[in-house]
Amino acid sequence: MRKIEVFDTTLRDGEQSAGVNLHIHEKLEIAHQLARYGVDVIEAGFPASSRGDFESVQLIARQVRTCSIAGLARSTERDIDAVRDALREAASPRIHVFIATSPIHMKHKLNLTPDQTLETAVAAVKYAKRFCADVEWSAEDATRSDWDFLVRIITRVIDAGATVVNLPDTVGYTTPEEYGNLFRYIRERVPNIDRVKLSAHCHDDLGMAVINTLSAIQAGVSQVEVTVNGIGERAGNTSLEEVAVALAIRKDYFQAETGLNLEQTIRTSRLVSKLTGMVVPPNKAVVGANAFAHESGIHQDGVLKNPLTYEIIRPEMIGLTSNVMAIGKHSGRHALREKCKELGLQLEEQEFNRLFRAFKELTGKKKEVTDDDILALALESTNEAMASRYELEFLNVFYGQDSISTTTLGIRRPDGTVVREAATGNGSVEAIYNTIERILGEPVQLIDYRIQSTTGGQDALAEVYVKVQYHGVTSSGRGIDNDVLSASAKAFLDAINRAALKDRVEDKVAASAAPTV
Ligand SMILES: [Zn+2]
């Protein structure tokens, strides 16, 4: 059975999704979960793009020791230096350098001739190789590049020391057969190709990212670049879980396997969805809420007699266990600590104390506390621990069908002072947001508002996601509470807090100046 390595780029390409802005601790939490899931490489960020990205790559390299950590660099010494410095303490570092190879990118973006591009690529790989044994090279927009030019440049970068060669479908343009043939062409014509691993990286603009990646596997690539839930710029990247489960279920056909612990699939998907605020569509393959729901009577009857009649994926295989009661009213600190361990949550003492208080409060209001509830509360308490924030101090809403909604609320500012204000609105949520805007003294444009519950039942926790435009930055935030209005207020403040993080502003500037693979 061929081994396929999983290169996860949720924290780099996935984080480039519009409106996603993860805090450094959230990135670390995702990285820990990816390591638990068993990915081979985590692309932790693009260190030259901002101070925030540099610091999160550095933190992940320090703390996540069981897989390779990669950082992305353009083909410049400055970018490569930033990756080298960020990965200095990594157990197994990888420098990932890229340059565009398509005529349109070379001419209009790089302003280089093909020969100049080739020399720049070789110089960058040689330079990276001085600091790191493991150097991945990517031909940005490979699928719109001249195949014979790719043969030339790949031969040279392998001679320069590249250990992995990645041919990204940067713009989501290719088709399964064409992409497979590209890899076959390269394997036949590049004389030193046996010295490197070949890698596939796809985007979903035409809805073909997963099938293109699978086709590349059939054509001999041994690394796939993917993101959790397929998040990423525009239509997103290849979805990690779809490729992993397809390989596992159709082992007979693909004759290839990953080293993933598939029972971590659902947890990984939910964590990323919660932290990024990017909701998984219910009909999404493998991890969608309806992926295992059988509505038709004939199907239900069959599944009850033998699940395999209509279910090709066993729910346990991907970690979809029934949401049993985790712990209850009488559980103490010890039981909660054990539960956190079981869920793989790594909380600092202060965060654990916040979680315990929130847990006790919840058991007073909710009969059954589930794993999902604990997870939601834990994420909320790490969220609250983020520095320099506006916090909700109190909230009163007056609502009547025939009257104007009125809100009074108090916000604790980063300096500790509490500001109180009141305002009205057409509905309760609008009244809350108008009040917050009044306190800030600045306009906040609400772009998106979504609400869902953590689990079923009347007493489920409410989770609200919002996207706002504030200080010229698009930012998303989430809030969790028993009450939908409190959750709405918290989500709005969270988005504002995230927009206000200065490094995020730098990020956006750097990101717009630096297109990537
Ligand atoms: Zn990409």
Side-chain angles (χ1 to χ4, degrees), residues 63-78:
Q63 303 216 1
V64 181
R65 317 292 296 174
T66 52
C67 56
S68 292
I69 308 295
L72 184 69
R74 284 164 293 192
S75 296
T76 65
E77 294 194 355
R78 182 187 161 269

Side-chain angles (χ1 to χ4, degrees), residues 436-447:
I436 294 174
E437 246 184 352
R438 189 172 278 186
I439 290 177
L440 295 173
E442 283 174 280
V444 185
Q445 194 199 338
L446 183 66
I447 300 169

